[in-house]
C-alpha cells in the first residue's frame, strides 16, 4: 500500500454524490488533496482530508498544458512525495501520471479495494448508485470491476 494517497476532484464528487465519501477514510485512513482540488470541488471536505499543495508550482503549470488544474496539482504533488498514489479518473490524466511513474487508481478501484478489504459486502449497490449520477460507467468497466471484486 502506498505511504500517501492523493485524491482528485472526481473521486470526491462521485463519492460525495452517493454519500460514500467515508470509504476513502475506511480504505486508506489518510487522504491528501490540493488547494486547487478543494476549490474545484466547491464544498467543505471532512477534516480528515489533509490539504497540501505542490511546492514546485512551475511543474504544475507545465502539467496544466496537458490536464486540468486539479489533476495537474495532484500529479505535481505526487511527484514530490515518494511512494504516493493518486486517485484519478480522467483517462488522459491517468496516462500522464503513469508515464511519470506515479501509482494510480480510480474511484472504482477504491470501491473494489473496499470490498476486498471487507469494508463493504458488495460493490453492486455502490455501482448502482454511481450509475444514477452523471459519471460515465461503461458496461465493460462495470463487468471488469465486478470480476475484480469477486462478484
Amino acid at each position: 500500500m502506498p505511504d500517501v494517497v492523493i485524491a482528485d476532484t472526481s473521486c470526491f464528487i462521485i463519492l460525495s454524490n452517493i454519500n460514500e465519501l467515508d470509504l476513502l477514510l475506511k480504505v486508506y485512513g489518510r487522504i491528501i488533496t490540493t488547494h486547487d482540488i478543494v476549490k474545484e470541488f466547491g464544498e467543505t471536505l471532512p477534516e480528515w482530508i489533509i490539504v497540501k499543495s505542490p511546492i514546485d508550482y512551475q511543474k504544475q503549470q507545465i502539467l496544466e498544458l496537458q490536464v486540468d488544474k486539479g489533476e495537474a496539482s495532484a500529479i505535481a504533488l505526487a511527484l514530490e512525495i515518494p511512494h504516493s498514489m493518486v486517485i484519478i479518473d480522467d483517462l488522459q490524466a491517468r496516462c500522464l501520471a503513469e508515464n511519470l511513474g506515479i501509482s494510480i487508481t480510480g474511484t472504482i478501484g477504491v470501491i473494489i479495494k473496499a470490498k476486498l478489504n471487507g469494508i463493504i459486502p458488495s460493490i453492486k449497490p455502490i455501482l448502482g448508485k454511481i450509475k444514477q449520477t452523471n459519471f460515465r460507467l461503461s458496461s465493460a468497466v462495470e463487468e471488469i470491476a465486478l470480476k475484480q471484486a469477486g462478484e
Side-chain angles (χ1 to χ4, degrees):
M1 186 146 105
D3 294 341
V4 174
V5 178
I6 301 164
D8 185 36
T9 316
S10 64
C11 179
F12 292 142
I13 291 170
I14 295 161
L15 293 177
S16 179
N17 284 346
I18 63 168
N19 297 313
E20 296 286 354
L21 194 58
D22 64 330
L23 274 182
L24 289 171
L25 178 62
K26 291 175 182 174
V27 173
Y28 297 109
R30 188 175 89 152
I31 298 292
I32 295 177
T33 197
T34 69
H35 290 281
D36 289 322
I37 291 168
V38 171
K39 198 173 184 181
E40 278 184 3
F41 182 58
E43 295 177 27
T44 303
L45 286 166
E47 59 188 44
W48 49 264
I49 297 174
I50 299 162
V51 181
K52 182 177 181 173
S53 291
I55 296 165
D56 187 347
Y57 187 66
Q58 281 186 319
K59 191 175 290 176
Q60 178 179 330
Q61 287 180 310
I62 292 167
L63 293 166
E64 285 176 27
L65 298 173
Q66 297 178 62
V67 295
D68 80 22
K69 192 174 192 85
E71 293 158 350
S73 70
I75 293 168
L77 185 59
L79 289 169
E80 294 176 0
I81 303 174
H83 311 290
S84 59
M85 178 182 73
V86 178
I87 304 169
I88 200 160
D89 293 312
D90 178 80
L91 181 59
Q92 186 173 348
R94 289 171 69 93
C95 291
L96 176 60
E98 281 186 312
N99 288 338
L100 293 170
I102 298 167
S103 176
I104 63 162
T105 192
T107 303
I108 303 301
V110 172
I111 295 163
I112 293 167
K113 189 168 182 70
K115 163 69 179 345
L116 296 176
N117 289 350
I119 295 165
I120 58 173
S122 172
I123 68 168
K124 285 180 186 177
I126 295 176
L127 293 180
K129 289 196 284 186
I130 289 173
K131 290 194 299 191
Q132 308 252 331
T133 70
N134 63 354
F135 183 74
R136 291 172 288 187
L137 179 63
S138 71
S139 56
V141 168
E142 184 176 8
E143 194 174 308
I144 291 166
L146 290 167
K147 186 175 181 179
Q148 288 179 350
E151 295 183 33

